[in-house]
Amino acid sequence: MPLFSHRGHSSSSSSLPTISSKTFKPQKPSFFPSPFSARHASPLILFCFFSLFVGIAGTFFAIVAILRHQPLPVYRCGGSEDAFRAFYSSSTHHLGGDQSAHGLVDRPKVLGFVGIQTGFESVDRRAALRETWFPADPDGLLRLEQATGLAFRFVIGYSRDAKKMAELQKEVEKYRDFLIIDNEEELTFFKAAYEHFEADYYVKADDDIYLRPDRLATLLAKERTHSRTYIGCMKKGPVITDPKLKWYEKSGHLIGNEYFLHAYGPIYVLSAEIVASLAAARNNSFRMFSNEDVTIGSWMLAMDVKHEDNRAICDPQCTSRSIAVWDIPKCSGIK
């Protein structure tokens, strides 16, 4: 019987061709249905193998780069470097609370920044401070900052002596508590401090000062009506014009017989508005005197600041009110 039949509309005069009843055999499918596909198969396979090789090689070099020992990056701002913040901005550490590594990109807001001025020869002095009031590990330094609202760093300038810098780098990697600046001039310190921290107050101290951070925080948290405040142990004294004497002032002829009111040099405090003005000043636009405290004092006269005399900042002995004393470790309250 045929597969299909066709019914005509008339007799044998118009007949249609019939389809053969012979069954059709289906053809087998081919992966290369045309000569064109066969010609392009080999380059495609080679490209796949090449891509696989590149992927494996890239993964290998990435693993090697990660495992290779590299010094911890240092957070830079202009020409200065903050090793402490770099430590907490690394991939393996983060700040607790609402302070994250992302926040380290901007200037952190603190009540006060305390810069301990130090030198390459002062390794023992720094060790003495770390054994008393200055925490000897980054986590301890962070806890102190969170408890007081004060950020603390040893501040030191760069040196062209490669040996000195190599020794310093070892100490930096061990403690992570340095702010390294271009040089040790007073104006450069305040520029760097202002670039790194948004502080209400900026404190400069020497590395032989033993401090009570809690009492300093209480002092700085005090409400003040004057936005430009200069805090320290205020003093005056005769101008030394004899070059043979220790405190010789080569520009004494510009001052007269007696110094103007200025703060005790080993530690003093400047409010944010003062430091912002210093940070914006052009380099070498301020006169520098032979003595640091005189230099800072002269700048304060020009800026119409309020002089706040606080004797607890230069207490000669340990008392219940001492904030800072010179070279008496037990006054730190720890030893």
Side-chain angles (χ1 to χ4, degrees):
M1 186 175 181
L3 293 175
F4 298 95
S5 65
H6 299 270
R7 184 175 297 170
H9 295 279
S10 60
S11 59
S12 59
S13 60
S14 67
S15 62
L16 295 173
T18 60
I19 300 176
S20 172
S21 61
K22 187 176 178 180
T23 58
F24 293 95
K25 295 182 178 180
Q27 295 181 347
K28 295 181 178 181
S30 173
F31 289 103
F32 303 99
S34 68
F36 175 81
S37 298
R39 287 196 306 269
H40 288 75
S42 295
L44 181 61
I45 294 174
L46 290 175
F47 176 76
C48 291
F49 277 110
F50 176 75
S51 300
L52 180 62
F53 171 77
V54 171
I56 294 174
T59 302
F60 173 77
F61 284 113
I63 294 174
V64 171
I66 292 173
L67 295 179
R68 181 183 299 171
H69 173 72
Q70 295 180 346
L72 205 61
V74 179
Y75 182 87
R76 292 179 178 271
C77 190
S80 56
E81 304 177 348
D82 185 356
F84 176 81
R85 292 174 68 195
F87 177 77
Y88 279 101
S89 65
S90 67
S91 59
T92 56
H93 296 85
H94 65 278
L95 294 178
D98 58 357
Q99 301 182 51
S100 63
H102 176 73
L104 291 174
V105 176
D106 301 318
R107 297 162 65 220
K109 182 71 173 70
V110 292
L111 171 62
F113 170 72
V114 183
I116 309 300
Q117 308 290 303
T118 190
F120 290 93
E121 71 287 347
S122 297
V123 177
D124 291 340
R125 286 187 177 185
R126 292 191 291 274
L129 266 59
R130 292 191 185 106
E131 289 176 357
T132 54
W133 70 268
F134 198 111
D137 65 282
D139 289 341
L141 195 57
L142 176 60
R143 288 192 296 270
L144 180 61
E145 179 176 331
Q146 292 173 335
T148 62
L150 307 178
F152 300 88
R153 302 289 188 275
F154 285 111
V155 180
I156 193 169
Y158 289 101
S159 173
R160 295 182 179 180
D161 189 319
K163 184 177 180 181
K164 288 183 177 180
M165 289 303 297
E167 290 299 317
L168 175 64
Q169 186 59 33
K170 293 178 181 178
E171 191 175 350
V172 168
E173 292 182 357
K174 182 176 181 181
Y175 296 106
R176 303 290 174 185
D177 53 10
F178 282 89
L179 177 64
I180 307 174
I181 63 177
D182 284 336
N183 55 59
E184 296 176 88
E185 292 181 0
E186 292 77 15
L187 192 58
T188 304
F189 161 67
F190 288 114
K191 282 179 178 289
Y194 187 77
E195 287 174 345
H196 282 278
F197 296 92
E198 182 185 355
D200 293 334
Y201 296 93
Y202 295 83
V203 183
K204 178 270 172 187
D206 289 346
D207 58 11
D208 52 5
I209 289 293
Y210 288 85
L211 190 66
R212 282 293 299 261
D214 55 340
R215 295 176 184 173
L216 177 61
T218 300
L219 171 67
L220 299 185
K222 177 183 174 182
E223 185 175 354
R224 295 175 174 84
T225 57
H226 204 294
S227 60
R228 295 185 301 278
T229 303
Y230 174 38
I231 308 172
C233 288
M234 299 302 163
K235 64 176 183 176
K236 289 184 177 182
V239 178
I240 306 300
T241 57
D242 186 347
K244 297 179 181 179
L245 300 180
K246 181 177 180 181
W247 304 112
Y248 166 62
E249 179 57 69
K250 63 180 181 180
S251 298
H253 61 285
L254 298 175
I255 302 173
N257 295 327
E258 186 179 62
Y259 283 118
F260 37 78
L261 190 67
H262 61 280
Y264 173 71
I267 182 171
Y268 53 84
V269 184
L270 303 182
S271 62
E273 187 172 318
I274 296 174
V275 176
S277 298
L278 296 179
R282 292 180 294 106
N283 290 333
N284 302 320
S285 61
F286 285 86
R287 180 179 297 278
M288 306 292 290
F289 290 97
S290 298
N291 303 305
E292 176 203 341
D293 48 7
V294 173
T295 297
I296 299 296
S298 68
W299 297 350
M300 298 303 99
L301 290 181
M303 299 177 73
D304 189 26
V305 304
K306 176 178 175 54
H307 294 73
E308 184 175 313
D309 188 6
N310 191 313
R311 313 312 292 182
I313 292 180
C314 59
D315 206 327
Q317 57 186 349
C318 298
T319 70
S320 59
R321 298 177 61 255
S322 300
I323 296 174
V325 300
W326 176 74
D327 206 21
I328 306 179
K330 66 179 182 179
C331 287
S332 64
I334 301 173
K335 283 192 176 182

